[in-house]
Structure formats: structure tokens, C-alpha cells
Amino acid sequence: FLFCGNHEAAVRAAIVYSLIGTCKALDVDPKEWMEDILNRMPEYETGKKDISELLPYNWKSSKKN
């Protein structure tokens, strides 16, 4: 919490760090993953698509197809 400013910022930073670590563990380029999901995010706002598709493991599986 020391460098994040508040609890909510620290939680967000931990989530981002965890997702990037997951990308690295799965041999997914974090930059490529982040750019792709940020561009696709509006498609998921309506709730008609399962947002878990954008998690690194599922994203990697969908990229193989």
C-alpha cells in the first residue's frame, strides 16, 4: 500500500501484476494480450459474452484456432 496511494489502487495493481505474471507463466506476450483485450473489451460490456474468455489462459487457447 505504500506506493499505491490507497487500498483500491493497491488491489488494482495486484490484479494487473497477477494477470501479467499469468501471461508470462503461459508464454503469452503480456503486451499483445493487453492490447487485444483492451480493444475487445467494449464487446463484453453488454454482458452477452463471457468476459472470462479474455483471461490469459482462455485467450491463448482462442488464439491457437
Side-chain angles (χ1 to χ4, degrees):
F1 302 113
L2 182 61
F3 300 106
C4 293
N6 60 37
H7 180 72
E8 292 79 19
V11 170
R12 284 190 298 274
I15 291 169
V16 170
Y17 185 76
S18 175
L19 288 169
I20 290 173
T22 301
C23 285
K24 290 179 180 181
L26 294 170
D27 199 30
V28 169
D29 178 13
K31 184 177 183 284
E32 179 185 354
W33 171 75
M34 185 70 75
E35 287 176 352
D36 184 56
I37 69 158
L38 289 175
N39 286 326
R40 293 173 50 195
M41 209 52 111
E43 301 170 22
Y44 291 81
E45 288 181 0
T46 60
K48 294 180 181 176
K49 289 187 171 186
D50 184 7
I51 200 160
S52 69
E53 295 173 359
L54 301 179
L55 293 172
Y57 179 80
N58 297 330
W59 182 87
K60 181 179 180 178
S61 297
S62 71
K63 287 295 181 185
K64 288 181 180 180
N65 298 332

